[in-house]
Amino acid sequence: MTLTVDTTPINNTPINPTVTAVTERIAERSRDTRTAYLERIRAAASQGPARGKLGCTNLAHGFAAVEPVGKDLLRRSFKPNIAIVSSYNDMLSAHKPFESYPRRIKEAVIDGGGIAQFAGGVPAMCDGVTQGRAGMELSLFSRDVIAMSAAIALSHDMFDGALMLGVCDKIVPGLVIGALSFGHLPTIFVPAGPMTSGLPNTEKARVRQLYAEGKVGREALLEAEAQSYHGEGTCTFFGTANSNQLLMEVMGLHLPGASFVNPGTPLRDALTEAAAKRVVKLTAGGDEFTPIGEVVDERAVVNGVVALLATGGSTNHTMHLVAMAAAAGIDLRWDDFSALSDVVPLLSRIYPNGSADVNHFHAAGGMPYLIGELLDAGLLHADVKTVAGGGLEARYRSEPTLEEGTLTWREGPRDSLDKQVLRSAGDPFSPDGGLRMLTGNLGKSVIKVSAVKAEHRVVKAPAVVFDDQDDFLTAFKAGELEKDFIAVIRFQGPQANGMPELHKLTPTLGVLQDRGFAVALVTDGRMSGASGKIPAAIHVTPEAAAGGPIARVRDGDVVELDAEAGTITVLAEDFDQRLPAELADSTTFGTGRELFAALRGAVGTADRGASVFGAAL
């Protein structure tokens, strides 16, 4: 099957030639795997609702606990049955709002002509809690555990559609991968929204840096953090959690405008109920059958990359988007991110790329304005499938509102309401995107430059090598890092220890940069969407544990990180001839880490999504 790309969206703006070329390149590269995937899910869809083919014992187990009216409906297969899969727990602020969703969703599904069952829960851990702790070594792997958990929830074959309730870091990518393994089912993602704004981000960053310098104590730091993260909802900075919401909307898996409405508001509740009613209409029994495997195609994936670049979103998605695309048979690569970054302008500044939070972004015009600007610039594919019906142009320039208690959508703003936060494609913060790929004799890595000032984007300095982030912090406290240097933190990749995020290095490196030193970070670990003003070459692959070049770096080697040219190079004549260092102690126990040994042994490389599923997808 030959895959082609229509270059004329609905609004008649020609698609940018680079966007067209990248999309066609992905489609051609993915031809065999995408064709095989579509054949599988279409074969599953052609068999009709699997519930009708269950044996009597199987079916009786499936509806045993349902109330009598619902039991009769499931017994006779009269109405579509919707699975609810949730990441609810009451420890994480982002997922606490989901506590009341199942009851509300079930009632709304019934109003929409269907029936719903809570199919299962998935684990949800918080990188904010585990940051710098042993538990962070489980974080990346939790994505694939979530994918498998979602698949278990759907494995009973009782369902005609699904609602996925998730927000943060690994949770949404995991739910997407799990849902795509049941790609014949219509699926809508249901967010909970960000918490209201707390302590201004500039003040939070200031206190963190003062603490790193020893100028304020733990109590002052804790008070600042508590004022920042103070209630239910997603953390308001533009990390992976809010990047997830951006992606779900621009990829057509959210209802329009659903991403950044605060929890506990009438509009949030109305959007949740609307999603529940809408998924019923998308099931095979209606005339709008829209399985998730057909929504997530090459165009939707490219749209996701473009929106991520245009907002300076999380670097974690250089892995998560790759893994999500693979689950739909699509071969996305870092080269595609890099090529698109050259032509996608930076349209927003949200902390850590600026001082505003996602509530300010939403108030400035948010997703409807952003999508509209990217459509008008020819940077998004407009004629894609979405859960709202139609394409992006027809639905996703609109914003939801309540009129006399009734949910409706109106035309979104055509002008930014705050140009310090959100700008037009004709007046961007930067002419190119916030993410770049670096290549050189250290391998491949990615860097987020949207928060890095131009004068800090090229650093050439001696390496100071560490095999543990705590050793780096010890050296800082001992006064050993008052100089120009590039910190090389290795053995932090997925095979080594699960690829933890290294955010607690950021304030320390920020202190040194503010003191006038030229500093940078090179690591096979992660920094995610919260990486800030320090140039950081992350996700270096091949990783040190696999014998990658980063394992051959020695103290004093001159390293050049050039984010402008897209290169990262060790300037040592004998570099290629050296034997790689080995980690002295690779045994990992405690905090459940020993249970993940099989995943560390099976995980793929960062540039291929750091997935344990490998070629199985």
Side-chain angles (χ1 to χ4, degrees):
M1 182 176 70
T2 301
L3 298 174
T4 59
V5 176
D6 181 0
T7 60
T8 306
I10 296 171
N11 66 3
N12 295 320
T13 301
I15 289 285
N16 180 284
T18 298
V19 174
T20 297
V22 170
T23 308
E24 290 180 336
R25 182 171 70 200
I26 294 170
E28 181 63 26
R29 184 195 303 142
S30 310
R31 182 192 305 155
D32 293 343
T33 51
R34 178 64 175 169
T35 298
Y37 174 78
L38 291 174
E39 287 175 350
R40 289 197 303 271
I41 67 170
R42 288 169 182 170
S46 70
Q47 298 172 16
R51 183 171 69 258
K53 297 179 177 61
L54 292 180
C56 294
T57 301
N58 308 75
L59 186 58
H61 276 291
F63 60 58
V66 178
E67 70 285 351
V69 173
K71 187 175 295 186
D72 187 60
L73 293 173
L74 290 174
R75 178 175 186 149
R76 300 177 186 278
S77 298
F78 280 162
K79 294 189 176 183
N81 188 26
I82 305 302
I84 303 169
V85 180
S86 176
S87 58
Y88 162 72
N89 62 58
D90 67 5
M91 190 196 80
L92 304 189
S93 63
H95 297 87
K96 175 65 164 64
F98 289 140
E99 181 176 15
S100 63
Y101 276 37
R103 175 190 56 79
R104 176 174 284 113
I105 284 172
K106 287 183 179 183
E107 293 173 354
V109 167
I110 290 171
D111 288 344
I115 188 169
Q117 291 179 288
F118 190 93
V122 302
M125 65 178 290
C126 178
D127 291 357
V129 176
T130 59
Q131 192 64 240
R133 311 289 301 170
M136 174 57 83
E137 296 183 16
L138 311 187
S139 172
L140 180 61
F141 290 136
S142 75
R143 181 196 68 196
D144 293 359
V145 172
I146 289 162
M148 291 185 281
S149 300
I152 290 170
L154 297 175
S155 67
H156 301 96
D157 278 342
M158 287 286 293
F159 308 109
D160 305 280
L163 293 166
M164 297 287 172
L165 280 54
V167 176
C168 288
D169 300 69
K170 270 57 65 185
I171 293 95
V172 167
L175 287 172
V176 171
I177 294 168
L180 286 168
S181 71
F182 288 78
H184 62 288
L185 295 180
T187 302
I188 296 180
F189 280 70
V190 183
M195 69 176 69
T196 55
S197 300
L199 187 73
N201 287 308
T202 51
E203 178 62 13
K204 176 180 67 177
R206 185 186 72 84
V207 175
R208 284 179 176 177
Q209 192 152 316
L210 288 173
Y211 179 78
E213 294 179 273
K215 295 180 178 179
V216 301
R218 176 180 169 83
E219 187 59 36
L221 177 64
L222 181 58
E223 181 58 26
E225 299 291 347
Q227 289 182 34
S228 299
Y229 310 113
H230 61 87
E232 292 188 19
T234 317
C235 303
T236 59
F237 67 89
F238 197 45
T240 311
N242 287 313
S243 296
N244 284 338
Q245 305 315 300
L246 170 104
L247 290 178
M248 291 303 95
E249 187 157 338
V250 79
M251 292 173 71
L253 295 172
H254 274 177
L255 291 185
S259 297
F260 299 121
V261 175
N262 299 126
T265 61
L267 182 56
R268 175 84 278 157
D269 293 343
L271 284 164
T272 300
E273 292 164 9
K277 294 176 182 177
R278 178 63 186 165
V279 75
V280 177
K281 296 183 182 299
L282 302 182
T283 58
D287 57 5
E288 294 186 67
F289 181 48
T290 310
I292 185 174
E294 305 273 2
V295 174
V296 180
D297 64 6
E298 296 89 347
R299 298 181 188 197
V301 168
V302 168
N303 283 352
V305 175
V306 168
L308 188 76
L309 294 168
T311 53
S314 172
T315 53
N316 271 328
H317 278 295
T318 59
M319 293 183 295
H320 295 328
L321 259 174
V322 170
M324 287 189 283
I330 298 167
D331 185 354
L332 176 68
R333 301 184 182 180
W334 283 0
D335 289 343
D336 303 318
F337 284 85
S338 187
L340 290 169
S341 186
D342 288 342
V343 299
V344 175
L346 184 67
L347 303 187
S348 73
R349 285 205 180 280
I350 316 170
Y351 186 82
N353 306 327
S355 60
D357 65 23
V358 293
N359 292 310
H360 301 128
F361 167 78
H362 184 64
M367 293 301 297
Y369 179 79
L370 176 73
I371 289 173
E373 282 298 306
L374 293 172
L375 284 168
D376 289 345
L379 293 168
L380 292 178
H381 296 287
D383 50 345
V384 290
K385 293 182 179 179
T386 77
V387 297
L392 290 182
E393 179 74 31
R395 298 285 186 270
Y396 286 80
R397 298 183 79 136
S398 302
E399 62 181 5
T401 185
L402 290 176
E403 294 184 2
E404 298 182 356
T406 300
L407 178 65
T408 186
W409 275 264
R410 65 189 179 194
E411 183 181 357
R414 292 298 178 128
D415 292 306
S416 171
L417 302 178
D418 187 345
K419 293 183 180 178
Q420 297 302 308
V421 179
L422 188 57
R423 290 189 181 177
S424 69
D427 181 31
F429 291 102
S430 170
D432 54 8
L435 295 176
R436 295 179 185 170
M437 185 174 72
L438 306 178
T439 58
N441 62 359
L442 264 179
K444 292 190 291 187
S445 69
V446 294
I447 185 169
K448 182 175 178 178
V449 296
S450 49
V452 179
K453 293 182 178 179
E455 60 267 29
H456 299 308
R457 293 184 180 182
V458 179
V459 179
K460 183 178 179 181
V464 182
V465 181
F466 301 93
D467 292 344
D468 187 281
Q469 58 181 321
D470 289 330
D471 293 340
F472 170 89
L473 295 172
T474 299
F476 171 75
K477 291 175 182 177
E480 298 171 3
L481 299 178
E482 301 287 323
K483 57 186 178 182
D484 295 348
F485 69 95
I486 290 182
V488 178
I489 317 289
R490 60 192 186 185
F491 294 104
Q492 305 300 310
Q495 290 184 34
N497 60 357
M499 206 178 192
E501 292 180 352
L502 307 176
H503 283 311
K504 68 179 183 179
L505 305 182
T506 301
T508 302
L509 286 164
V511 167
L512 294 168
Q513 182 174 276
D514 288 350
R515 290 177 182 172
F517 298 114
V519 296
L521 173 68
V522 175
T523 181
D524 48 10
R526 292 186 293 134
M527 291 290 280
S528 105
S531 54
K533 64 185 184 180
I534 306 301
I538 59 177
H539 307 175
V540 171
T541 187
E543 63 175 287
I550 191 173
R552 299 200 297 265
V553 182
R554 299 173 182 169
D555 284 335
D557 285 343
V558 175
V559 179
E560 184 175 45
L561 185 161
D562 190 335
E564 301 292 358
T567 59
I568 182 167
T569 310
V570 179
L571 303 175
E573 291 184 2
D574 66 337
F575 185 67
D576 291 339
Q577 285 73 50
R578 296 177 186 172
L579 293 175
E582 295 183 3
L583 190 60
D585 182 9
S586 59
T587 306
T588 305
F589 291 100
T591 322
R593 289 176 291 171
E594 60 273 20
L595 303 178
F596 287 73
L599 277 70
R600 290 192 293 273
V603 69
T605 59
D607 60 324
R608 302 306 296 143
S611 172
V612 302
F613 302 132
L617 296 177

